[in-house]
PDB file of all heavy atoms in Angstrom:
ATOM      1  N   MET A 967     -39.533 -30.637  33.697  1.00  0.00           N
ATOM      2  CA  MET A 967     -39.950 -29.213  33.960  1.00  0.00           C
ATOM      3  C   MET A 967     -38.947 -28.305  33.764  1.00  0.00           C
ATOM      4  O   MET A 967     -37.784 -28.577  34.253  1.00  0.00           O
ATOM      5  CB  MET A 967     -40.559 -29.229  35.446  1.00  0.00           C
ATOM      6  CG  MET A 967     -41.317 -27.890  35.729  1.00  0.00           C
ATOM      7  SD  MET A 967     -41.849 -27.826  37.396  1.00  0.00           S
ATOM      8  CE  MET A 967     -40.402 -26.891  38.006  1.00  0.00           C
ATOM      9  N   PRO A 968     -38.973 -27.246  33.003  1.00  0.00           N
ATOM     10  CA  PRO A 968     -37.961 -26.368  32.837  1.00  0.00           C
ATOM     11  C   PRO A 968     -37.588 -25.514  34.180  1.00  0.00           C
ATOM     12  O   PRO A 968     -38.468 -25.251  34.906  1.00  0.00           O
ATOM     13  CB  PRO A 968     -38.378 -25.343  31.774  1.00  0.00           C
ATOM     14  CG  PRO A 968     -39.882 -25.397  31.879  1.00  0.00           C
ATOM     15  CD  PRO A 968     -40.249 -26.806  32.252  1.00  0.00           C
ATOM     16  N   GLU A 976     -31.349 -26.752  34.813  1.00  0.00           N
ATOM     17  CA  GLU A 976     -31.606 -28.028  35.279  1.00  0.00           C
ATOM     18  C   GLU A 976     -30.956 -29.137  34.427  1.00  0.00           C
ATOM     19  O   GLU A 976     -30.310 -30.076  34.907  1.00  0.00           O
ATOM     20  CB  GLU A 976     -33.221 -28.325  35.224  1.00  0.00           C
ATOM     21  CG  GLU A 976     -33.475 -29.620  35.821  1.00  0.00           C
ATOM     22  CD  GLU A 976     -35.013 -29.911  35.684  1.00  0.00           C
ATOM     23  OE1 GLU A 976     -35.850 -29.036  35.488  1.00  0.00           O
ATOM     24  OE2 GLU A 976     -35.429 -31.184  35.785  1.00  0.00           O
ATOM     25  N   ILE A 980     -28.225 -31.902  35.869  1.00  0.00           N
ATOM     26  CA  ILE A 980     -28.363 -33.361  35.729  1.00  0.00           C
ATOM     27  C   ILE A 980     -27.103 -33.882  34.997  1.00  0.00           C
ATOM     28  O   ILE A 980     -26.536 -34.873  35.437  1.00  0.00           O
ATOM     29  CB  ILE A 980     -29.579 -33.638  34.841  1.00  0.00           C
ATOM     30  CG1 ILE A 980     -30.833 -33.343  35.623  1.00  0.00           C
ATOM     31  CG2 ILE A 980     -29.709 -35.138  34.515  1.00  0.00           C
ATOM     32  CD1 ILE A 980     -32.255 -33.189  34.770  1.00  0.00           C
ATOM     33  N   ASP A1000     -36.330 -39.938  29.163  1.00  0.00           N
ATOM     34  CA  ASP A1000     -37.542 -39.695  29.941  1.00  0.00           C
ATOM     35  C   ASP A1000     -37.736 -40.448  31.255  1.00  0.00           C
ATOM     36  O   ASP A1000     -38.196 -40.179  32.302  1.00  0.00           O
ATOM     37  CB  ASP A1000     -38.850 -39.733  29.220  1.00  0.00           C
ATOM     38  CG  ASP A1000     -38.888 -38.783  28.058  1.00  0.00           C
ATOM     39  OD1 ASP A1000     -38.778 -37.559  28.281  1.00  0.00           O
ATOM     40  OD2 ASP A1000     -39.054 -39.276  26.860  1.00  0.00           O
ATOM     41  N   GLY A1092     -34.990 -39.411  38.558  1.00  0.00           N
ATOM     42  CA  GLY A1092     -35.566 -38.431  39.565  1.00  0.00           C
ATOM     43  C   GLY A1092     -36.074 -37.265  38.929  1.00  0.00           C
ATOM     44  O   GLY A1092     -36.442 -37.345  37.644  1.00  0.00           O
ATOM     45  N   ASP A1093     -36.305 -36.296  39.709  1.00  0.00           N
ATOM     46  CA  ASP A1093     -36.858 -34.993  39.237  1.00  0.00           C
ATOM     47  C   ASP A1093     -36.267 -33.872  40.008  1.00  0.00           C
ATOM     48  O   ASP A1093     -35.822 -34.040  41.148  1.00  0.00           O
ATOM     49  CB  ASP A1093     -38.369 -35.074  39.311  1.00  0.00           C
ATOM     50  CG  ASP A1093     -39.003 -34.042  38.332  1.00  0.00           C
ATOM     51  OD1 ASP A1093     -38.344 -33.414  37.554  1.00  0.00           O
ATOM     52  OD2 ASP A1093     -40.240 -33.734  38.512  1.00  0.00           O
ATOM     53  N   THR A1094     -36.285 -32.690  39.501  1.00  0.00           N
ATOM     54  CA  THR A1094     -35.618 -31.509  40.054  1.00  0.00           C
ATOM     55  C   THR A1094     -36.712 -30.314  39.918  1.00  0.00           C
ATOM     56  O   THR A1094     -37.129 -30.114  38.847  1.00  0.00           O
ATOM     57  CB  THR A1094     -34.245 -31.056  39.506  1.00  0.00           C
ATOM     58  OG1 THR A1094     -33.422 -32.440  39.472  1.00  0.00           O
ATOM     59  CG2 THR A1094     -33.515 -30.106  40.319  1.00  0.00           C
ATOM     60  N   ALA A1095     -36.860 -29.600  41.091  1.00  0.00           N
ATOM     61  CA  ALA A1095     -37.799 -28.478  40.869  1.00  0.00           C
ATOM     62  C   ALA A1095     -37.294 -27.419  41.923  1.00  0.00           C
ATOM     63  O   ALA A1095     -36.580 -27.715  42.829  1.00  0.00           O
ATOM     64  CB  ALA A1095     -39.175 -28.873  41.230  1.00  0.00           C
TER      65      ALA A1095
HETATM   66 MG1   MG B2447     -38.294 -33.532  35.535  1.00  0.00          MG
END
Side-chain angles (χ1 to χ4, degrees):
M967 195 186 86
E976 186 185 341
I980 294 165
D1000 299 305
D1093 200 12
T1094 311

